[in-house]
Amino acid sequence: MRLPLQIAVVGSGIGAQHLQGYREFSDLFDVRILCDIDHERAASVSEKFGISEIGTRFDAVCRRPDIDVIDICTPPHLHFEQIKQALASGKHVICEKPLVGSLAALDSLSRLAKASGRKLLPIFQYRFGHGLQKLKYLVDRKLAGDPFVFNVDVAWWRSSAYYDSPWRGKRATEFGGALLSHAIHAVDMVLYILVAGTYYSSKSSTPVRFPIGPSHPAYNTL
């Protein structure tokens, strides 16, 4: 395969962070086009990262013979059809999490990727953190003993501004809540380390938090 790989990034939201990563490895990746239905936002992002071409049509990107990899950074409800189209056009695909919304959809894409001879790569970057890689090294060499329990706490928080995007916070477009949109990385880390596990259980809850401002009597006690 030729290097640098010719990349098309689709979506200029989280896609901007992908562009930063590609820029740090310019000997391996060359971003040829940024595709987004929001041309104004794409123009701003492309100027920042020196991307010379902007597009608005996903199907046009798929038809380009000069593109090796399509990096999909769109809302989750668009992933399935876009991945199918990209694989069918002979492109390798990188796609933001969550990849799709069901095991049936995942199985369908797995079969399509195998038939096309192309790679489908979901974004699970936390696998490559130094700490987790050290743990993986120990576990793979059976230096850590048999795994018994694996506990991960996710203490991330998002302000209301994060949910201003019309697709966030809705099952139809995001496919789930915090477990799928944020804690999915923690789930992946557990499965990455405990690949031999045969039994899994989970416990979750959805607490309701009420905003407390300066006028609230409990504000100064926090």
Side-chain angles (χ1 to χ4, degrees):
M1 184 177 293
R2 61 181 176 178
L3 290 177
L5 293 172
Q6 307 300 295
I7 310 295
V9 175
V10 181
S12 55
I14 191 66
Q17 295 187 33
H18 291 219
L19 290 170
Q20 177 62 39
Y22 290 129
R23 184 161 69 176
E24 293 177 10
F25 295 93
S26 58
D27 57 324
L28 299 176
F29 306 104
D30 178 17
V31 179
R32 301 297 302 273
I33 183 172
L34 175 61
C35 180
D36 197 311
I37 58 175
D38 187 337
H39 189 276
E40 183 177 350
R41 183 174 70 171
S44 175
V45 173
S46 64
E47 182 179 4
K48 177 180 178 181
F49 290 99
I51 310 303
S52 60
E53 189 174 355
I54 302 171
T56 58
R57 293 183 59 88
F58 182 80
D59 58 342
V61 172
C62 289
R63 289 195 298 268
R64 288 181 56 146
D66 60 326
I67 297 299
D68 301 310
V69 181
I70 295 180
D71 185 353
I72 297 174
C73 304
T74 57
H77 69 290
L78 301 176
H79 290 174
F80 182 72
E81 292 299 331
Q82 289 179 335
I83 293 170
K84 282 177 56 180
Q85 189 172 352
L87 288 173
S89 68
K91 313 302 184 188
H92 299 286
V93 179
I94 298 171
C95 185
E96 265 292 345
K97 54 78 183 170
L99 200 61
V100 287
S102 70
L103 286 175
L106 186 61
D107 288 341
S108 175
L109 292 179
S110 179
R111 290 191 295 268
L112 182 57
K114 185 176 181 179
S116 69
R118 296 298 184 263
K119 299 292 185 181
L120 172 57
L121 308 170
I123 293 293
F124 286 118
Q125 72 273 22
Y126 286 87
R127 287 189 178 197
F128 303 100
H130 294 307
L132 199 67
Q133 283 298 308
K134 290 176 181 178
L135 178 58
K136 181 68 171 172
Y137 180 91
L138 295 174
V139 170
D140 285 350
R141 287 155 182 79
K142 302 188 184 303
L143 298 175
D146 294 329
F148 177 69
V149 63
F150 198 123
N151 182 73
V152 178
D153 295 317
V154 180
W156 292 2
W157 178 83
R158 293 290 185 267
S159 69
S160 58
Y162 177 83
Y163 292 97
D164 286 344
S165 295
W167 59 269
R168 287 192 172 123
K170 299 179 178 66
R171 184 173 295 277
T173 49
E174 198 172 18
F175 292 149
L179 180 62
L180 193 64
S181 62
H182 298 116
I184 190 172
H185 288 297
V187 173
D188 179 67
M189 287 189 287
V190 172
L191 297 178
Y192 179 57
I193 298 298
L194 302 182
V195 291
T198 57
Y199 175 77
Y200 302 98
S201 65
S202 66
K203 179 181 179 181
S204 63
S205 62
T206 307
V208 178
R209 296 183 296 107
F210 295 95
I212 297 178
S215 62
H216 194 282
Y219 181 79
N220 292 324
T221 66
L222 298 178

